[in-house]
Amino acid sequence: MSRERLIEVKDLSFRYKADAPLSLDRVSLEVYAGEWLAIIGHNGSGKSTLAKCLNGLILPETGTVLVDGLNTRDEDAIWEIRRRVGMVFQNPDNQFVGTTVQDDVAFGMENHGIDRDEMVKRMASALKLVNMEGTENREPHRLSGGQKQRVAIAGIIALQPSIIILDEATSMLDPKGREDVLSVMHELNKTKGITVISITHDLDEAAGSDRIIAMEKGRIVLSGTPREVFQHPERLLELGLDLPFAIKMRQALSEQGIAVSPDAFSEEELVEELWKLKSTI
Amino acid sequence: MKLIIGQFVPGDSIIHRMDPRAKLITVFIFVFIVFLANNPWTYGFLLAFTVLGILVSKVPFSFIYRGLKPVLFIIIFTFILNALFTRQGDVLISAGWFQLTTAGLKQAIFISIRLLAIIVVTTLLTLTTSPIAITDGLETLLKPLKKWRFPVHEFALMMSIALRFIPTLMEETEKIMKAQMARGVDFSSGSLVKRGKAIIPLLVPLFVGAFKRAEDLAMAMEARGYRGDVGRTKFRLLKWHGRDTGLLSVLAVLTAALILMRG
Ligand SMILES: Nc1ncnc2c1ncn2[C@@H]1O[C@H](COP(=O)(O)OP(=O)(O)OP(=O)(O)O)[C@@H](O)[C@H]1O
Ligand SMILES: [Mg+2]
């Protein structure tokens, strides 16, 4: 992974109303080009608020947010920032603007004044990338939630962004829809080098990321690779978070007196260790 | 859930394929030139144009009748009024104060044709043009109004978002209704007051939901770079074909014929 900094957040604080408590409290964060960053934290910990700061939907009370060196406070840069930082929201229905798939994919491009011939080209390739080719004329109420989310992703890809933020974008989907959306995103992350920030309550999904950040009360309280973060399951429980399946399994095993190394945090690793454990007996 | 928004009947007749602008202009002008007709010839032209429209559109007559049904009463009512209160010409039937004259009958038939022609032609527009195409057509035609600060783009976007969310809200209504029915709410029987009261617990969650959606949608639109009409391009393309010029030519001929032949 290259260590080129894509987003720099410095001492960012924000509150929704003058007399409200801080929703973000001196957050500093760097996002590197090409990485998959997971943000976890229980309800109301400030994850969505942070995400909205990253594309200038809301502006910092204090501190700065830089995207590729562009400041979100800079009114001339804001549209370019929003083009570079795409965002997929939780509810598939409430972000579908067009009356058909192609209208929805075109919406962002229309806003950015891309001319029509270019739009047609980009639309075709974007729909292909999310495996939705051939649905151009489909209406939203004839699409599943997962399909709608993939159309939303296509609309963002068409703008050739450098980063896509998923704000619990898979939480309202069935397992199949979730799988489809995540595999499309992983593909984009790997082949197109698109940076992904995934806000999620699904710790199994977070376990597959490059880096995890945990938030509480508007602050970043934990940060590191999944391996580092899941090394301290007690800490996660303290934060009101669930644990990935493999970690729970590991704990249950050690309670039964079966010693498994604290390194195993993915299902495969656990299986691998258990297998070896058995063979040495 | 099967749902056709508005009355649009998909098809591929030449009228279906015409540019919505051509159809909108035609209907708009037609509504005015209808009033030029004042004798059997001119009314005959109107009728011929209307019938030709129906035939070429290949829309089953039952659909047209359905569009007509709500206003049929008004047509019959004006027919009767005109028949009864025009007291010129020869008396055809007379019974007490009731009197039907030739002029009355003629007047009644003419007025009915006039109403019928207007309604059928407008229905034909909505039957052969998808709501979104009508919106596109209106947006382009009304563009000059921007000079006077009329929010043409916003108006069109509002229309298209409304069209997009109608099925979503219908589904939601159905869901809420089922949820309420499962709790014993009865929507289909009882007095009007009782049924009205049953609607309230349906409307409240529906409105709350709609506002939440609106908020989310506004956020999503902004995230995708929406900033009103500034520097915006358009994906939906309206294309003017020979057939559209043809339609306007037919309309011009009809207008000329009406002017020349009226008495
Ligand atoms: N539009 C708003 N107006 C006022 N306060 C808000 C608004 N949105 C969020 N908040 C407050 O800001 C804090 C952080 O909320 P945020 O939505 O960022 O949390 P979150 O981590 O995304 O939670 P969730 O997991 O539920 O999505 C919460 O205390 C919340 O009540
Ligand atoms: Mg949130």
Side-chain angles (χ1 to χ4, degrees), chain A residues 42-49 52 90 167-168 199 201:
Chain A
H42 63 77
N43 295 103
S45 57
K47 306 179 299 289
S48 298
T49 309
K52 281 184 239 165
Q90 181 174 24
D167 189 353
E168 300 185 41
I199 297 173
H201 284 285

Side-chain angles (χ1 to χ4, degrees), chain B residues 64-100:
Chain B
I64 298 190
Y65 175 67
R66 218 185 292 164
L68 220 53
K69 224 165 45 183
V71 280
L72 213 52
F73 166 76
I74 298 175
I75 295 177
I76 293 171
F77 189 68
T78 38
F79 183 94
I80 293 172
L81 274 188
N82 275 289
L84 285 184
F85 294 105
T86 314
R87 305 237 151 152
Q88 284 142 10
D90 307 329
V91 177
L92 285 172
I93 308 165
S94 162
W97 65 273
F98 173 82
Q99 203 178 43
L100 182 64

Side-chain angles (χ1 to χ4, degrees), chain A residues 8-47:
Chain A
E8 279 176 88
V9 178
K10 245 200 213 104
D11 285 327
L12 164 64
S13 294
F14 178 84
R15 65 184 111 211
Y16 282 93
K17 285 185 201 87
D19 51 350
L22 285 172
S23 290
L24 288 176
D25 188 0
R26 283 161 291 155
V27 171
S28 291
L29 165 75
E30 275 157 8
V31 183
Y32 301 101
E35 74 172 332
W36 183 298
L37 173 68
I39 301 183
I40 57 177
H42 63 77
N43 295 103
S45 57
K47 306 179 299 289

